[in-house]
Amino acid sequence: MNVDFKPDNFQVALATSVVLYGFDGHDLKLLIGTKTNDPFKGADFLPTIPVGVKEEPEMVVRKLMRKVTGFDDWPIERLNVFADPYRNPLGRVVNIAFYGTLRLNEELENNLGSSEFRWVNSDQTPPLAFDHNDIVDYSKERLKRRVKRRPIGFSLLPREFTLNQIQRLYECALGRELDKRNFRRKLLKSELLVETGKTVRSSPRAKRPSQLFRFDGKKYRTLSLEGYDFVYQ
Amino acid sequence: MNVDFKPDNFQVALATSVVLYGFDGHDLKLLIGTKTNDPFKGADFLPTIPVGVKEEPEMVVRKLMRKVTGFDDWPIERLNVFADPYRNPLGRVVNIAFYGTLRLNEELENNLGSSEFRWVNSDQTPPLAFDHNDIVDYSKERLKRRVKRRPIGFSLLPREFTLNQIQRLYECALGRELDKRNFRRKLLKSELLVETGKTVRSSPRAKRPSQLFRFDGKKYRTLSLEGYDFVYQ
DNA sequence: ACAAAAGTGTTACACTTACACCCATGT
DNA sequence: ACATGGGTGTAAGTGTAACACTTTTGT
């Protein structure tokens, strides 16, 4: 069986793109850029960067995130590889795509590294260049799956959050409404949330304040080792 | 943002490997080869083949399967991509790995396309060249997940099979024993099995014959469209 | 006192798990 | 008649889903 590589096998380029999700307490958004050069100049696309022949894709993605948002210390996960032979008109480019999750705050929302990028509501993704809409769709499925099985949303939430915020996040990610009482019961039973004792008013119109919770990361890691599965159907 | 590719980005090669699972009614096996040339001459490895610059990985994998087993019409699924920069000593080779499932029969088991290949019990995978053990481990996790959520085992089973065979297959894939009564109840409730009325004796020593069932593929496709989830915990 | 959002319990049903014996058949 | 694997039922417990009102607080 031939497993030898001849010189003309080494003609492929690597790229990596990242689908960055941010949650601002009310909406789930993702980061979109606009191409400033050909091919597809002027089209929207995902943050994307070539991967050098000796580079590790994850490192390259972190570099890219830092360039675009100013930070690179958010959890990311490899999504999939998009390897259609003609997905890029310049030649064969294999795209190793990632997705990441972060808490949106005003600083992040307004001070992006360059004006080529913006946050869009995750259910209003515009048409994108290359096969980037496929990448976004794939990442949404992955996020849905993760949210169902792992209490992963915490990297999207503020460090202290209300039960209504986390429910809203789950509803955005899953794309459907959830029952408040059942959601709370399930969440509190997991014992991954701890009360802070603090409260906050969700809006100027809201009279009664909500309780603030935070995520018990240590407990989660312990449970995780025991094979804990969150599972929100 | 730089998304331009310069000529020296195009120096990567693509390969694809396949983890082929076969079930012979009693054991779950997978296909392993022995390298006949360097690098790693003499080492065991997965069936692997370079992907040409204009080729589609799935097509290449099917070609590979045909070369090794004589057939290429089994269901395959893309697993993951293994892209560590130094996984191959010849240069940067990105491996787009697949896994496939087939029914083992004596013909397949004994008439492999070449003597470089053999079937090994899936829980006795030998040390493999490159990062192929990682690929195998990953495929086992995927198979486990698939078996839990989809009635996927049917491409591994003979067209007509006994409940004991399918239980045995699930036990191999999940790596643990299952309760016979609970397993049957669950499986029969799904209404994806139809009785053939035929029976077979499982071994010369077995006196009472077992009933033969087959899979109702049409019903499955219908249920599938409605978002059916099998779920065997 | 009213407006607004926060917060809270119960019941019916479905599914999961644990468990041990009788049955049909060939020799 | 016996040996062999094939086949069957029940009960307890756990999780899910549907459902509407009371409480707290600021104005």
Side-chain angles (χ1 to χ4, degrees), chain B residues 32-34 42-46 118 120 124-134 136:
Chain B
I32 295 293
T34 304
D44 288 326
F45 78 136
L46 289 172
R118 67 188 194 280
V120 306
Q124 289 163 23
T125 316
L128 304 175
F130 308 107
D131 51 1
H132 287 190
N133 285 106
D134 296 339
V136 169

Side-chain angles (χ1 to χ4, degrees), chain A residues 12 53 55 78 81 92, chain B residues 12 53 55 78 80-81 92:
Chain A
V12 174
V53 173
E55 286 179 314
R78 202 166 84 184
V81 163
R92 184 149 200 181
Chain B
V12 174
V53 173
E55 286 179 313
R78 202 165 84 182
N80 202 350
V81 162
R92 183 148 199 180

Side-chain angles (χ1 to χ4, degrees), chain B residues 193-231:
Chain B
L193 302 192
V194 294
E195 295 188 43
T196 62
K198 300 184 213 166
T199 57
V200 69
R201 285 173 63 195
S202 61
S203 82
R205 295 189 318 182
K207 324 288 184 182
R208 180 176 179 178
S210 319
Q211 305 235 51
L212 284 168
F213 291 81
R214 57 184 182 71
F215 176 53
D216 189 340
K218 200 154 75 183
K219 181 144 199 178
Y220 172 57
R221 280 186 291 276
T222 314
L223 287 175
S224 215
L225 290 173
E226 296 162 7
Y228 173 77
D229 242 9
F230 181 72
V231 183

Side-chain angles (χ1 to χ4, degrees), chain B residues 20-152:
Chain B
L20 260 190
Y21 285 97
F23 184 66
D24 62 8
H26 201 260
D27 287 307
L28 186 64
K29 301 190 169 177
L30 52 86
L31 195 66
I32 295 293
T34 304
K35 286 210 67 182
T36 55
N37 44 22
D38 275 319
F40 302 124
K41 183 171 174 176
D44 288 326
F45 78 136
L46 289 172
T48 301
I49 193 170
V51 176
V53 173
K54 311 219 157 171
E55 286 179 313
E56 190 85 62
E58 180 168 338
M59 294 302 119
V60 178
V61 170
R62 293 213 180 264
K63 214 165 60 185
L64 173 64
M65 281 166 69
R66 165 169 291 266
K67 203 144 85 179
V68 177
T69 67
F71 299 92
D72 63 6
D73 54 345
W74 304 102
I76 60 174
E77 191 183 342
R78 202 165 84 182
L79 252 191
N80 202 350
V81 162
F82 295 81
D84 188 76
Y86 303 106
R87 55 181 295 285
N88 190 313
L90 295 180
R92 183 148 199 180
V93 178
V94 168
N95 191 314
I96 300 179
F98 286 75
Y99 84 112
T101 47
L102 56 83
R103 334 172 197 268
L104 265 184
N105 51 35
E106 268 138 47
E107 192 196 341
L108 267 170
E109 202 145 6
N110 302 320
N111 304 347
L112 281 172
S114 79
S115 60
E116 304 158 38
F117 291 94
R118 67 188 194 280
W119 293 97
V120 306
N121 210 304
S122 71
D123 56 5
Q124 289 163 23
T125 316
L128 304 175
F130 308 107
D131 51 1
H132 287 190
N133 285 106
D134 296 339
I135 302 180
V136 169
D137 292 346
Y138 196 92
S139 75
K140 284 184 183 169
E141 286 308 310
R142 177 72 65 92
L143 183 65
K144 230 186 239 188
R145 234 173 53 204
R146 276 287 177 280
V147 152
K148 279 185 185 175
R149 301 198 73 89
R150 310 262 164 222
I152 199 182

Side-chain angles (χ1 to χ4, degrees), chain A residues 18-117:
Chain A
V18 63
V19 187
L20 259 191
Y21 285 98
F23 185 67
D24 62 9
H26 201 261
D27 287 308
L28 186 64
K29 302 191 168 175
L30 52 86
L31 195 66
I32 294 294
T34 304
K35 285 210 68 180
T36 54
N37 45 23
D38 274 318
F40 304 123
K41 184 171 173 175
D44 287 327
F45 78 136
L46 289 172
T48 300
I49 193 171
V51 176
V53 173
K54 312 218 157 173
E55 286 179 314
E56 191 83 62
E58 180 168 338
M59 295 302 119
V60 178
V61 169
R62 293 214 178 263
K63 214 164 61 187
L64 173 64
M65 283 167 68
R66 164 168 292 264
K67 205 143 85 179
V68 176
T69 67
F71 299 91
D72 63 5
D73 54 346
W74 304 102
I76 61 175
E77 192 183 340
R78 202 166 84 184
L79 252 190
N80 201 352
V81 163
F82 296 81
D84 188 75
Y86 302 106
R87 55 180 295 284
N88 190 312
L90 295 179
R92 184 149 200 181
V93 179
V94 168
N95 191 314
I96 300 178
F98 286 75
Y99 82 113
T101 48
L102 54 83
R103 334 172 198 268
L104 265 184
N105 50 37
E106 270 137 47
E107 191 198 339
L108 266 170
E109 201 145 6
N110 302 321
N111 305 346
L112 281 171
S114 81
S115 60
E116 305 159 35
F117 291 94

